[in-house]
Amino acid sequence: MKDYKELSQKAFELTQSEIERIKEPVVGLATGSTPEGLYQKMIEHYNKGYSYKHLTSFNLDEYIGLEESDPNSYHYYMNDKLFRHIDIKEEKAHVPSGITADFEKECASYEQAIKDSGGIDIQLLGLGVNGHIGFNEPGTPFDSQTHVVELEESTRDANAHFFASKGEVPRKAISMGIDTIMRSRKIILLVSGVKKSPALNKLLTKDVTERFPVSALHKHPDVTVIADEAAFTYVEKK
Ligand code: GLP
């Protein structure tokens, strides 16, 4: 893709065609800057008359310790960037809780809710500079399910620009596991910008290792990677 605009358009077309193909679609949603353009397109589509009433969604992750009303929580992000602008039903839009008293229970019930929905049809993913997907940091077992994670310093640095200072970036998060993600029937990975280029280059070497979480996708039968030209800056030509 030439640029971020084209990437967002392509991501929208692909996601939307899956949503329209399936009667009761279940979509896995991501946060961060990368999917914002896609969410914008979904809002435009809704404004032109399309209804997302039949959509069920599961977000990948949430920071631990942030209230839903905190502008840096992923609950807030999803409401702000998508949910409140379309007609998705509140009870069908799932985001793991970062403020529960019992995380073991929250993780198990999130997994169960995904299973009860019939499983994720299409999972959207962004990419961390260290190769993380969701908040699955390097070293996360490939058989992991929804779990509590300790964030790497590089992740806290990368996400610090959303916060007033790095000190405010939480140290823990709750995230779908690699196995949870891999059980999705279709996966779309969005990679935008020069900052993600080293990670994209590493992904394209095809080494599969838990030290580089996104490499698990090589074992999935239906993955589409949508990347813009900037993301190819450091990709070595074979
Ligand atoms: C966070 C999220 C990831 C996301 C990543 C990249 O760490 N937990 O799901 O993919 O950020 O974010 P961005 O799109 O802002 O580069």
Side-chain angles (χ1 to χ4, degrees):
M1 300 297 124
K2 194 157 79 44
D3 53 19
Y4 180 69
K5 204 168 150 222
E6 266 190 35
L7 172 144
S8 300
Q9 178 61 29
K10 188 79 207 157
F12 168 71
E13 284 167 15
L14 204 54
T15 307
Q16 190 62 32
S17 72
E18 285 299 299
I19 290 176
E20 288 180 22
R21 191 178 60 79
I22 301 163
K23 203 158 152 254
E24 301 268 315
V26 181
V27 179
L29 299 175
T31 50
S33 324
T34 316
E36 281 187 25
L38 156 66
Y39 296 152
Q40 195 53 45
K41 302 249 168 242
M42 289 173 73
I43 294 167
E44 283 164 23
H45 203 54
Y46 168 72
N47 288 336
K48 283 186 206 143
Y50 185 79
S51 172
Y52 288 100
K53 270 207 305 261
H54 60 311
L55 193 71
T56 297
S57 71
F58 287 94
N59 263 80
L60 282 165
D61 46 15
E62 175 60 291
Y63 287 113
I64 286 185
L66 300 191
E67 298 286 338
E68 292 182 15
S69 57
D70 187 313
N72 279 308
S73 76
Y74 287 165
H75 276 82
Y76 188 97
Y77 171 105
M78 288 311 302
N79 284 326
D80 189 43
K81 308 285 183 209
L82 183 65
F83 295 155
R84 74 182 167 89
H85 304 284
I86 62 173
D87 61 347
I88 188 169
K89 295 204 176 122
E90 208 183 319
E91 66 276 16
K92 288 187 165 192
H94 308 266
V95 182
S97 171
I99 47 163
T100 173
D102 186 344
F103 279 98
E104 215 172 302
K105 195 166 150 217
E106 174 66 14
C107 291
S109 67
Y110 204 68
E111 279 296 321
Q112 196 54 48
I114 294 173
K115 284 180 188 140
D116 292 347
S117 76
I120 293 171
D121 293 303
I122 177 162
Q123 175 68 55
L124 299 166
L125 294 176
L127 179 60
V129 284
N130 61 0
H132 76 211
I133 46 176
F135 265 138
N136 293 290
E137 300 285 38
T140 305
F142 281 172
D143 64 0
S144 51
Q145 307 214 338
T146 302
H147 59 148
V148 170
V149 301
E150 198 89 36
L151 299 177
E152 277 202 347
E153 281 312 296
S154 67
T155 298
R156 296 185 64 241
D157 286 334
N159 290 354
H161 65 101
F162 290 112
F163 294 79
S165 70
K166 185 181 164 190
E168 287 184 20
V169 185
R171 294 180 185 278
K172 286 185 177 179
I174 177 169
S175 177
M176 282 187 199
I178 300 285
D179 180 63
T180 322
I181 293 169
M182 291 290 281
R183 274 187 278 117
S184 312
R185 288 184 264 279
K186 184 177 184 65
I187 294 177
I188 300 179
L189 174 68
L190 304 178
V191 192
S192 173
V194 65
K195 273 196 288 194
K196 303 296 173 66
S197 196
L200 180 62
N201 184 46
K202 201 165 167 186
L203 174 65
L204 296 176
T205 62
K206 299 209 170 120
D207 281 347
V208 178
T209 164
E210 288 181 354
R211 288 191 303 278
F212 191 57
V214 68
S215 68
L217 301 187
H218 286 299
K219 298 204 285 184
H220 192 282
D222 188 353
V223 179
T224 303
V225 181
I226 306 179
D228 58 16
E229 272 178 17
F232 277 94
T233 309
Y234 301 124
V235 172
E236 292 154 34
K237 302 218 165 54
K238 296 269 151 43

